[in-house]
Amino acid sequence: MATTLATLFDKLTRPEAMVPSSPLVGTLQDSRQAEFGALLQGIAVIAGITHLAFCGLFFWAEVEPLAYVNVGSVLLYVCVFFWARRGHILRAWFSTVSEVMGHALLAVVVIGWESGFHYYILLVIPVATVSAIRPVWLRAGVVLLAMLSYLAMDIQLRHRVPPHALPGVVLDGLHYFNVLGVMVILLFLAAYYFQLINEVEAQLRAMAATDPLTQLHNRRAIDDVTLREHSRAVRGGHPLSFLLCDLDHFKRVNDEHGHEAGDAVLQAVSAVLAQGVRSNDHVARWGGEEFLAVLPDADLAHAQMVAERLRAAVEQLRIEHNGVVLTIQVTIGVAMMQAGESVDEAIARADSALYEGKRAGRNRVEAKAPSAAP
């Protein structure tokens, strides 16, 4: 049980070292701490019920010292539950670890090595080793303490006749129950760390594919998306359109109001673009103040309609920054992919349409129709 909680504690701490620093890390850490607290509450409930069952067993076997110890363990896990609920994670965690190690030692001393309670101490070693407990010497100390404790117990208690000799059936039942418990915890540890690694990898992939300012796809991610949508369009004969958007006179915003104001404008426009397309469309920050929207299953007429809606929504934006209300306009170039055309060629036509719109006065949608088939 202690090892289970140690593993969960590792989930709280370890990602801090694995995930690169970014504005998202604080949110991720808060989320993990809340999740760990909730899981810790569940573990406290399970541990409390388990020790309650041990209370009945030891009272029945007339091993009253261990029975009363289990009563105390039940009360401790009630405290652990409420500590975790109130956010006192470390207190709950270390109380549980101390209870398990102390309980294992006492059980082996009172009813003997064959009861199998000593196995739980071994589980502390791998958990403490891979955890992010700091400072490092403290983590090393926990590992060393668990190793030395187990060795000392093995040397001193393995052949010792316990003061309370349980009936053979009861002792065998305890032994196999604890062996099975250790196996289950080991399985949990393996599954848990596998899930944790997958979660962290998914977070890293998402962060690598996301523009940190706008939270849209970045250039690398949208390149992958366009290739995938291009293949799908070619296979199924579906239309595929591109919108290339460029903010008008954006440099003026930076020059007159500062780069923080420019960032606020980019974030506001990004939100409008992301909300103004379908769930199966893709929007990315193409670079600087340029954005690319990829519209699967959209012909040129539909793409123009979407572009006009986006243009109007951006024009209506009112962005307040440091007491100043900022406005911005956008020019959008539209192109639909032709048969036999590559993604780069289609986007190049959208880019050409965009600059035609710029030359024509900005704040407009300009479409570049596909050439007629031969």
Side-chain angles (χ1 to χ4, degrees), residues 1 41-55 70-71 73-78:
M1 188 63 66
Q41 293 172 54
I43 296 298
V45 170
I46 297 172
I49 293 173
T50 301
H51 284 287
L52 193 60
F54 278 131
C55 286
N70 277 277
V71 171
S73 295
V74 171
L75 296 176
L76 177 63
Y77 282 115
V78 171

Side-chain angles (χ1 to χ4, degrees), residues 143-280:
V143 173
L144 184 61
L145 175 63
M147 294 172 62
L148 294 178
S149 297
Y150 190 89
L151 288 173
M153 288 173 62
D154 184 276
I155 294 169
Q156 297 295 324
L157 302 175
R158 184 156 58 94
H159 300 295
R160 177 177 175 271
V161 178
H164 290 272
L166 295 178
V169 174
V170 176
L171 190 61
D172 287 344
L174 271 177
H175 175 82
Y176 289 114
F177 177 84
N178 288 327
V179 169
L180 181 62
V182 170
M183 290 180 178
V184 170
I185 293 174
L186 285 173
L187 179 62
F188 173 82
L189 289 174
Y192 184 85
Y193 278 110
F194 180 77
Q195 178 185 354
L196 177 60
I197 290 171
N198 284 342
E199 288 177 357
V200 172
E201 286 180 349
Q203 291 167 2
L204 291 174
R205 285 195 298 269
M207 293 172 70
T210 302
D211 176 67
L213 177 64
T214 64
Q215 299 304 303
L216 298 176
H217 288 309
N218 59 21
R219 182 71 173 261
R220 176 184 297 176
I222 201 63
D223 283 343
D224 294 338
V225 168
T226 56
L227 291 176
R228 185 173 66 248
E229 293 294 350
H230 176 268
S231 297
R232 176 178 172 272
V234 170
R235 287 195 310 269
H238 305 294
L240 177 64
S241 294
F242 300 92
L243 311 182
L244 196 57
C245 316
D246 186 85
L247 301 186
D248 298 330
H249 303 298
F250 179 74
K251 184 176 182 299
R252 185 183 302 169
V253 174
N254 284 328
D255 291 344
E256 295 180 2
H257 303 283
H259 288 282
E260 288 186 1
D263 290 346
V265 168
L266 289 173
Q267 290 171 330
V269 171
S270 299
V272 167
L273 296 179
Q275 295 167 9
V277 297
R278 303 166 301 177
S279 59
N280 63 322

Side-chain angles (χ1 to χ4, degrees), residues 10-123:
D10 181 74
K11 185 177 182 181
L12 171 66
T13 56
R14 188 173 177 80
E16 298 177 15
M18 297 177 67
V19 179
S21 177
S22 81
L24 296 176
V25 171
T27 301
L28 291 172
Q29 291 171 0
D30 291 342
S31 175
R32 290 189 179 281
Q33 184 163 0
E35 181 183 0
F36 174 72
L39 290 172
L40 192 58
Q41 293 172 54
I43 296 298
V45 170
I46 297 172
I49 293 173
T50 301
H51 284 287
L52 193 60
F54 278 131
C55 286
L57 172 65
F58 288 125
F59 274 124
W60 172 79
E62 298 182 349
V63 188
E64 292 189 357
L66 286 184
Y68 287 118
V69 167
N70 277 277
V71 171
S73 295
V74 171
L75 296 176
L76 177 63
Y77 282 115
V78 171
C79 294
V80 167
F81 177 86
F82 286 104
W83 287 335
R85 190 180 185 88
R86 295 172 182 174
H88 302 301
I89 305 300
L90 291 180
R91 182 188 303 174
W93 157 245
F94 284 114
S95 296
T96 304
V97 170
S98 300
E99 189 280 332
V100 171
M101 292 191 67
H103 201 151
L105 174 61
L106 181 62
V108 170
V109 168
V110 175
I111 60 177
W113 187 264
E114 294 302 319
S115 64
F117 280 96
H118 53 89
Y119 292 129
Y120 294 102
I121 295 178
L122 290 175
L123 297 175

